[in-house]
Amino acid sequence: MKIAVLIKQVPDTETKIRIKADGSGIETDGIKYIISPYDEFAVEEAIRTKEKNAGSEVTVISLGPDRCVESIRTALAMGCDKAVHVQDGGQDFDSFQTATLLSQIIKNQGFEVVFTGKQALDKDSGQVTQMIAELLNWPQVTVVEKIEWQGNVAKVTRRVAGGAKEVYEVQLPALLAAETGLNTPRYASLPGIMKAKSKPVEKLNAADLLAGATAKVTLSNYRLPPEKAPGRILQGELDKTIPELVKLLREEAKII
Amino acid sequence: MSNVLILAEHENGRVKKSAHELLNIGQKLASQIGGQVEAMVIGQGLNDLIQDLGSFGAKKVYAVENAQLTKYNTVGFAKALAASVEQAKPSIVLVSASPLGKDLLPRVAAKLGSGLANDVTDLKINNGKLLATRPVYSGKALVDVTFNTDLQLASVRPNSFGAGEPQSGQTAQMVPVAVDLGTLPAMMKELVQGKSDRPDLTEAEMIVSGGRSLKSADNFKILFELADVIGASVGASRAAVDSGYAPHDMQVGQTGKVVNPKLYIACGISGAIQHLAGMRNSKVIVAINKDPEAPIFTKADYGIVADLFQAVPLLTTEFKKLLQG
Ligand SMILES: Cc1cc2nc3c(=O)[nH]c(=O)nc-3n(C[C@H](O)[C@H](O)[C@H](O)COP(=O)(O)OP(=O)(O)OC[C@H]3O[C@@H](n4cnc5c(N)ncnc54)[C@H](O)[C@@H]3O)c2cc1C
């Protein structure tokens, strides 16, 4: 099976976000970067799929600046076989452009199954997987929490509202977007890290793959959310504070 | 060309609340661009839904009646939505940022070549165009989205706008939409219903949530008892989920669900940044924690420093007194 996994490098989830003075984005100096957590589930699932299907190969693909090679190396150290780094040339692409250029690579390199995270934990747009699927005319399943392989058919469980689940049978080629709980990502072992250093990383230029796609949306005016007024700690014994809380929820907050 | 078209989700023959919300905000936006709000429905047995949508403001309802679309199917629904858009020619399309909406709308955006803002919490008209605001970096920042295309698509986070009231005498005209589905890949084989009949966390108006400190799945019972009294859904921190006290679909946070309730009661939850990412938008936050230094107190509107095993049952009793007289 020819497997691809798409990863994005994002700020560590502990990062305190600061906004550039002109609101054009966030301040990036001093930020530690990681593989976006949902993409980590995707990497793990890609490697497990390879392990279950003899003769398979996993290619990790990432679009971003030079620094994202670190995340690519992490994925290689976990067990991916090779990589494609699409250099963004310092440009910020919208989801449609990203989907267009990634879909070109998927088509050109003949992948049969592509794993992604359900959304990247930076812009949180959650659209690239579905857009690629449409551009390639492939089926997609997003918010995937379980995959069972029966030959070339994937039985895929998708988590929906209220604990309900949808079960799909998907013929390849297909795109599958990972949700929490799909698996527990492995740590890169020391031999894995050593091996990763010699695994091939192909470099491509984003601009060459855009196929004329222009941005459909513009993001501007990044800002911090309005601060909430500090809350109130109710002091005293529970037989006093609990009735007080209920009263406040009814009379002050008008919730109950 | 200046109408707003909303996708009305329905379940068990009834229009979902999210559709009423979309009609309400859709009507406001439409009036500012000199148009009207219209709805579309997909599935079977749609006639009964028309009147409801009309009473909530839809002037026309585009209906794709198709036996192949009684269960959700991304490719089929995308074709149906695209066909309705081509017929209705709106300038704005709104869907709920539900599991269905978030799966579907990006596919439609790529099909129609139009801009999309996903999971928005605010919508305005600026110079005749849509301006959408959405949280980014797990809610740590906000950004404005503007569109470079004539057709503008957005999915709207549940509970971001009110639902409005139905008006008797307001009716909608039904417009059938024909669509050629071809063969559909990835058909859903099975829909496994959730065990719970509570609203999903993402749609819940009230949530009681518990953390690692609950110590067992069994102890979550005290949260369910509280939830039952006020009609809430029950959530959990990742630590509680990882410890096996609660299933994954109860997890609130950065890698869990992003919730938008009126009331969030956090019981024995420390308030880690990744948990806050999921619940910081809650209108009112109550924290019960025995550690007065717990970070959750800096985000809470009301805090009680106490052992949750004492405080929660007392709270349940107090709410019972109030609500059940
Ligand atoms: C990439 C990443 C993603 C993550 N995603 C999420 C996510 O989606 N959701 C999430 O929740 N976390 C997430 N986390 C984990 C997060 O960092 C915290 O570890 C987690 O939220 C802690 O859960 P907790 O508050 O239940 O547990 P703890 O941190 O152990 O806190 C327990 C709290 O309970 C209090 N307590 C203990 N006993 C009692 C008692 N008897 N009565 C009252 N109070 C008591 C303690 O004072 C403490 O404040 C993520 C972490 C990472 C690295």
Side-chain angles (χ1 to χ4, degrees), chain B:
Chain B
M1 267 303 274
S2 42
N3 293 338
V4 178
L5 180 68
I6 70 116
L7 172 66
E9 287 186 45
H10 52 97
E11 198 172 47
N12 307 325
R14 296 178 65 171
V15 171
K16 286 186 147 194
K17 191 186 96 189
S18 64
H20 297 152
E21 245 183 283
L22 294 178
L23 285 171
N24 191 24
I25 179 66
Q27 201 162 26
K28 286 187 187 133
L29 297 172
S31 71
Q32 289 175 49
I33 50 175
Q36 61 187 30
V37 69
E38 302 179 340
M40 68 163 297
V41 281
I42 302 171
Q44 254 195 321
L46 304 174
N47 274 323
D48 295 350
L49 308 172
I50 311 297
Q51 194 177 354
D52 178 279
L53 292 166
S55 71
F56 277 90
K59 297 285 185 249
K60 280 186 187 168
V61 179
Y62 294 87
V64 184
E65 184 101 29
N66 193 307
Q68 272 182 284
L69 300 178
T70 48
K71 278 196 226 160
Y72 177 59
N73 174 287
T74 313
V75 173
F77 269 55
K79 286 182 177 169
L81 217 170
S84 305
V85 167
E86 269 153 23
Q87 207 163 323
K89 299 193 176 24
S91 59
I92 297 172
V93 175
L94 303 179
V95 310
S96 171
S98 62
L100 184 153
K102 286 207 263 188
D103 186 66
L104 173 66
L105 203 58
R107 188 133 194 163
V108 175
K111 193 185 273 301
L112 298 174
S114 43
L116 162 64
N118 235 347
D119 208 9
V120 310
T121 50
D122 200 14
L123 289 165
K124 285 193 183 68
I125 299 293
N126 190 19
N127 296 326
K129 293 277 284 186
L130 187 62
L131 187 152
T133 299
R134 51 187 309 275
V136 285
Y137 297 95
S138 307
K140 291 183 222 167
L142 298 173
V143 74
D144 287 342
V145 184
T146 48
F147 296 79
N148 309 330
T149 56
D150 290 336
L151 179 61
Q152 309 163 97
L153 311 181
S155 71
V156 179
R157 188 177 289 187
N159 296 337
S160 295
F161 303 99
E165 292 295 327
Q167 307 290 322
S168 57
Q170 276 187 175
T171 52
Q173 175 202 346
M174 169 143 134
V175 186
V177 178
V179 55
D180 176 14
L181 293 176
T183 43
L184 297 175
M187 289 301 289
M188 194 200 299
K189 290 292 167 206
E190 199 185 344
L191 175 64
V192 186
Q193 286 301 344
K195 279 187 239 65
S196 137
D197 49 7
R198 295 164 205 272
D200 187 62
L201 287 172
T202 56
E203 293 173 7
E205 291 200 349
M206 299 200 200
I207 295 172
V208 180
S209 239
R212 194 199 314 263
S213 51
L214 263 295
K215 292 207 184 77
S216 74
D218 212 33
N219 284 339
F220 260 80
K221 198 172 61 206
I222 61 170
L223 302 190
F224 282 101
E225 282 163 4
L226 170 55
D228 283 341
V229 173
I230 57 174
S233 295
V234 178
S237 74
R238 172 156 166 188
V241 171
D242 285 351
S243 308
Y245 309 159
H248 275 295
D249 46 59
M250 274 170 60
Q251 183 179 320
V252 172
Q254 182 153 34
T255 47
K257 286 184 173 159
V258 176
V259 301
N260 203 11
K262 288 198 291 194
L263 176 64
Y264 191 87
I265 308 182
C267 308
I269 290 181
S270 58
I273 194 159
Q274 296 91 352
H275 189 79
L276 297 175
M279 44 66 79
R280 55 157 37 102
N281 257 346
S282 309
K283 267 147 224 103
V284 173
I285 297 170
V286 172
I288 300 173
N289 196 302
K290 66 181 183 190
D291 173 10
E293 304 295 321
I296 189 78
F297 284 125
T298 67
K299 299 292 170 207
D301 297 276
Y302 304 107
I304 290 188
V305 180
D307 187 326
L308 74 96
F309 292 103
Q310 289 168 3
V312 172
L314 286 173
L315 190 55
T316 307
T317 311
E318 196 62 30
F319 274 129
K320 240 187 222 160
K321 269 197 240 159
L322 178 76
L323 296 170
Q324 299 170 1

Side-chain angles (χ1 to χ4, degrees), chain A residues 13 15 122-125 130 134 138 142 158 162 165 167 180 215-216 218 220-221 223 232 234 252, chain B residues 99 102-103 107 118 134 137-138 140 142 144 146 148 186 189-190 192 200 254-255 274 300-303:
Chain A
T13 56
T15 306
D122 52 0
K123 304 224 183 108
D124 290 321
S125 290
Q130 300 92 313
E134 175 65 27
W138 286 12
T142 57
R158 161 176 152 78
K165 301 177 195 302
V167 183
T180 314
K216 307 282 187 199
T218 305
S220 63
N221 190 20
R223 59 200 182 270
R232 207 167 345 146
L234 309 180
E252 189 178 83
Chain B
K102 286 207 263 188
D103 186 66
R107 188 133 194 163
N118 235 347
R134 51 187 309 275
Y137 297 95
S138 307
K140 291 183 222 167
L142 298 173
D144 287 342
T146 48
N148 309 330
K189 290 292 167 206
E190 199 185 344
V192 186
D200 187 62
Q254 182 153 34
T255 47
Q274 296 91 352
D301 297 276
Y302 304 107

